[in-house]
Amino acid sequence: MPRRYWARAYRLVGTGLAIIALAAGPARADVTYKTEFKGVEGDLRTTLDSVSQLVALQDRKPPTVAALYRRGLNDLSRLKAVLESQGYYDAGVELAIDRKKAPVTATVNIQLGPRYKLGRIRIVTPHGDLDAQDPKYGLGLKPGDPALAQAVIDAEAKLLTYHLDHGYPLAKVSERRVVVDTGTKTMDVTYNFDPGLEANFGAVSVSGLKRLDPNYVRRRVIWKPGQTYDQRVVDQTNQRLVATGLFGAIKVAPETKVASNGAVPMNITLAERALRTLSAGGAYDTSEGIEGTLGWEYRNLWGEAENLKASAVVGQSDNGAKLTFTRPDFLATDQDFVANVAFDNALQDAFRTISQTASIGLNRRFNNQLTGGIALQAEHARINEITDTRVYTLVGIPVTVARDTSDDPLNPSKGERLSLTVTPYLRPLGSNLTYIQALGTATHYQSLDRNKKFILAWEGQLGTSFGTSLQSIPKDHRFFAGGGGSVRGFGFQRAGPLDAGGNPIGGRSLAETSVELRMRVSQSIGIVPFYDAGTDYASPLPDFSSKIYQGVGIGVRYFSAIGPVRLDIATPLNPHSSGDSPIQVYVSIGQAF
């Protein structure tokens, strides 16, 4: 029998005897231990940490040292696979348990050995080899580079993506063959690739619809007949269909054969969502109390995706209802006609108001990220401003533009959101006042690690009003800071100047900022420390030499099927001299921003 088989047999016998010896020793309940890696450092050490069960289960103490040893043995093949994926095919991995130390130490000794390098790289097609070093493919592989498994996998995806994006709808990689040569310490890679026929976009068929007009779907299609096939525009079309909210399932794909005229027919298969949706939600915070919301939506009223949405809010500080009608593709594709009416009865510390609002306008989607809108809006209200009561009418023309590059509407991990709304209120239209009000918001999300467990989120807001005095602006149209969606730690609208009675005054301008570190500690639980700062100002522009109110706190997020459930607890860092509550609690669905 060859010597290497005897060596393997000795190792197996030795491992078995070690387990028996450990099991035969004195039992140790709930063994506290630590894990050490020797022979590796830096990013490689971090990667091994992330896959090691010894590390991941360290808080789940094994009942005996023998159980710890078995846990470590189960780790060895996993760690060996990671090392091979990094090019260390000759690496040795051994486990040692030192039960004499306190805590017990599980040491993984690693001998890396030489790092293998890429050798020959081939792309084999039915019509001959392609040049793997052609920069247009962007494979990122060249002979002599470290033999990284992920780089080889990524290169395959890049090869396929290039052809799908440049006219080859049926391109496919039939096999990826990797040969590791232990003699030369190299790894050869061969991709068996069939690009298929080059094609243009052909006829579009729409199937699966029961009520919606197929022409509405066809108007969402970005490509033109005869245009060179490009998977990127196929994906963009899919995104546009998703954004309508009308479908439960969407598939946009070419047929499996290119026609004799060089065109590939396109199939769009859809499953419509239920026409009606009923929704409910709730929120609580220390200053505003409990609030419940109820919504009802009717999609696709007459077969052209017309939408009717009704919502109501009932709470301790706000009660109201709103009805919104949307007619898509009004006068142009991706342009919606929107009309709404709203009634509100707000009971705030700063004011009491009963108002009625109506508006009509157009919303435009310029692309997947950029939207804009303009409307004519009229509001009539009776407001009790604590010291006075007035009845007013404001007629304005709100103009909005927004850009959203974030990757998730409910729990983003990267990207930005920018929005600006400018509303001129004009006497010639019937308004009691002429002035201009504007509010801009910027939000940024940045993942700090590959697994998106640590996300830094920042939001800033600036608001301004000019053309009239602070006293002329009704309190329910002034800017206020403080509360669950503003400067946490302060009561609702209370992160700003107060009058002699301790009631918020409100301002003509506003400046706020918030920073959160969103840390995911498990699949369903997250911890969020945060810092908020800001205030409202009597001047038309923020005066940063004035007092800026600040709050800090900690939050818990439960990641449910409908989005994150938020619990935030905050305290003011610089409360009013008259005193603010030391603790504010906020509960709602969704992230703070």
Side-chain angles (χ1 to χ4, degrees):
M1 183 179 293
R3 184 178 301 171
R4 65 177 181 271
Y5 291 107
W6 284 111
R8 184 177 301 172
Y10 289 143
R11 285 199 298 270
L12 289 173
V13 171
T15 298
L17 291 174
I19 294 176
I20 292 170
L22 287 168
R28 182 193 294 263
D30 295 332
V31 176
T32 300
Y33 73 94
K34 67 176 182 178
T35 305
E36 293 183 352
F37 287 93
K38 291 187 176 180
V40 292
E41 57 185 18
D43 291 342
L44 183 56
R45 163 65 188 272
T46 302
T47 303
L48 293 174
D49 272 347
S50 68
V51 301
S52 170
Q53 292 299 292
L54 278 171
V55 174
L57 301 178
Q58 199 154 283
D59 291 337
R60 293 170 57 181
K61 301 173 184 178
T64 64
V65 176
L68 171 61
Y69 197 85
R70 286 192 295 270
R71 181 182 291 182
L73 288 180
N74 290 334
D75 238 6
L76 297 186
S77 59
R78 187 180 295 107
L79 299 175
K80 177 71 172 173
V82 170
L83 293 169
E84 289 182 353
S85 74
Q86 297 297 310
Y88 297 103
Y89 285 91
D90 295 337
V93 185
E94 296 179 350
L95 173 68
I97 304 292
D98 189 342
R99 59 193 302 170
K100 296 179 180 179
K101 289 185 177 181
V104 173
T105 302
T107 302
V108 180
N109 293 298
I110 297 173
Q111 298 82 39
L112 287 176
R115 194 176 205 179
Y116 284 46
K117 300 183 182 300
L118 290 174
R120 189 179 185 190
I121 304 162
R122 297 184 62 198
I123 304 173
V124 180
T125 79
H127 312 292
D129 285 11
L130 300 180
D131 181 4
Q133 301 307 311
D134 192 327
K136 68 183 180 183
Y137 302 137
L139 300 191
L141 299 181
K142 60 182 180 181
D145 284 350
L148 304 179
Q150 191 60 51
V152 172
I153 295 170
D154 291 345
E156 177 181 320
K158 292 173 183 177
L159 175 65
L160 187 60
T161 296
Y162 173 83
H163 284 82
L164 291 173
D165 292 347
H166 292 83
Y168 295 88
L170 306 180
K172 62 180 180 179
V173 178
S174 58
E175 182 186 18
R176 178 179 70 243
R177 190 166 66 253
V178 175
V179 178
V180 176
D181 189 329
T182 57
T184 61
K185 312 298 182 186
T186 59
M187 182 172 74
D188 295 337
V189 182
T190 301
Y191 300 102
N192 288 328
F193 176 65
D194 185 358
L197 296 176
E198 189 173 6
N200 300 322
F201 285 110
V204 176
S205 66
V206 179
S207 60
L209 299 180
K210 296 180 179 179
R211 181 178 173 88
L212 186 67
D213 186 340
N215 287 326
Y216 174 84
V217 176
R218 290 190 172 93
R219 289 196 296 270
R220 312 267 88 70
V221 172
I222 295 177
W223 67 80
K224 303 295 183 185
Q227 175 185 341
T228 301
Y229 183 88
D230 188 337
Q231 186 63 39
R232 291 168 292 190
V233 297
V234 175
D235 294 340
Q236 290 169 15
T237 297
N238 188 87
Q239 292 170 9
R240 294 182 78 186
L241 292 170
V242 169
T244 66
L246 294 172
F247 309 107
I250 301 169
K251 183 179 180 181
V252 184
E255 288 193 3
T256 57
K257 187 176 181 181
V258 176
S260 57
N261 63 355
V264 60
M266 299 296 296
N267 297 325
I268 302 178
T269 306
L270 305 159
E272 295 180 42
R273 291 176 62 193
L275 291 176
R276 301 171 186 84
T277 298
L278 188 65
S279 61
Y284 167 80
D285 74 48
T286 309
S287 58
E288 288 189 276
I290 299 173
E291 181 178 278
T293 59
L294 185 67
W296 174 86
E297 183 177 5
Y298 194 120
R299 290 177 289 272
N300 196 24
L301 286 168
W302 303 301
E304 283 285 347
E306 302 89 350
N307 183 285
L308 184 64
K309 185 181 296 183
S311 62
V313 58
V314 178
Q316 293 175 255
S317 59
D318 195 15
N319 297 275
K322 186 175 182 179
L323 185 67
T324 302
F325 171 76
T326 303
R327 170 63 166 89
D329 294 348
F330 182 74
L331 301 179
T333 302
D334 285 330
Q335 181 169 276
D336 301 343
F337 170 81
V338 181
N340 66 66
V341 293
F343 304 89
D344 191 45
N345 181 9
L347 307 170
Q348 311 292 353
D349 288 344
F351 57 82
R352 312 283 192 272
T353 184
I354 297 176
S355 64
Q356 307 86 40
T357 305
S359 71
I360 57 172
L362 297 176
N363 290 339
R364 177 79 180 173
R365 289 177 296 280
F366 299 103
N367 55 45
N368 289 335
Q369 299 177 349
L370 185 63
T371 59
I374 185 170
L376 176 64
Q377 177 179 290
E379 178 182 352
H380 179 78
R382 178 183 180 87
I383 181 170
N384 179 347
E385 298 182 335
I386 309 302
T387 59
D388 193 14
T389 299
R390 72 168 106 174
V391 177
Y392 71 85
T393 299
L394 286 178
V395 182
I397 305 174
V399 178
T400 300
V401 62
R403 184 172 182 266
D404 187 348
T405 62
S406 61
D407 60 345
D408 190 303
L410 296 177
N411 190 36
S413 63
K414 65 178 180 179
E416 291 82 31
R417 293 173 182 170
L418 304 172
S419 68
L420 175 64
T421 298
V422 180
T423 306
Y425 295 98
L426 306 171
R427 286 185 184 273
L429 297 178
S431 179
N432 293 149
L433 292 172
T434 292
Y435 76 104
I436 297 176
Q437 193 166 68
L439 179 65
T441 303
T443 311
H444 177 76
Y445 307 96
Q446 179 65 54
S447 177
L448 303 181
D449 68 313
R450 234 180 332 185
N451 298 321
K452 300 181 181 179
K453 290 186 176 181
F454 298 89
I455 297 169
L456 185 65
W458 170 85
E459 182 181 62
Q461 279 196 324
L462 287 174
T464 180
S465 308
F466 54 92
T468 192
S469 66
L470 175 63
Q471 290 72 28
S472 298
I473 301 174
K475 273 198 170 181
D476 58 347
H477 276 262
R478 297 178 190 177
F479 291 110
F480 291 90
S486 178
V487 182
R488 287 163 287 186
F490 289 86
F492 182 63
Q493 299 181 340
R494 294 186 62 84
L498 307 179
D499 62 20
N503 299 305
I505 298 172
R508 284 195 288 171
S509 59
L510 172 78
E512 293 180 340
T513 188
S514 296
V515 180
E516 293 188 343
L517 179 58
R518 300 173 180 175
M519 302 180 290
R520 198 144 186 168
V521 297
S522 72
Q523 190 67 24
S524 58
I525 300 295
I527 302 295
V528 182
F530 57 83
Y531 167 82
D532 299 338
T535 189
D536 49 77
Y537 305 86
S539 56
L541 293 174
D543 177 9
F544 294 105
S545 64
S546 302
K547 178 178 179 179
I548 297 176
Y549 294 87
Q550 303 172 70
V552 296
I554 189 79
V556 177
R557 303 290 183 268
Y558 172 70
F559 299 100
S560 68
I562 59 174
V565 178
R566 173 168 70 111
L567 168 63
D568 286 341
I569 301 174
T571 186
L573 292 180
N574 52 346
H576 295 91
S577 58
S578 58
D580 287 295
S581 173
I583 295 293
Q584 294 283 338
V585 179
Y586 312 94
V587 181
S588 65
I589 295 176
Q591 296 282 12
F593 54 88

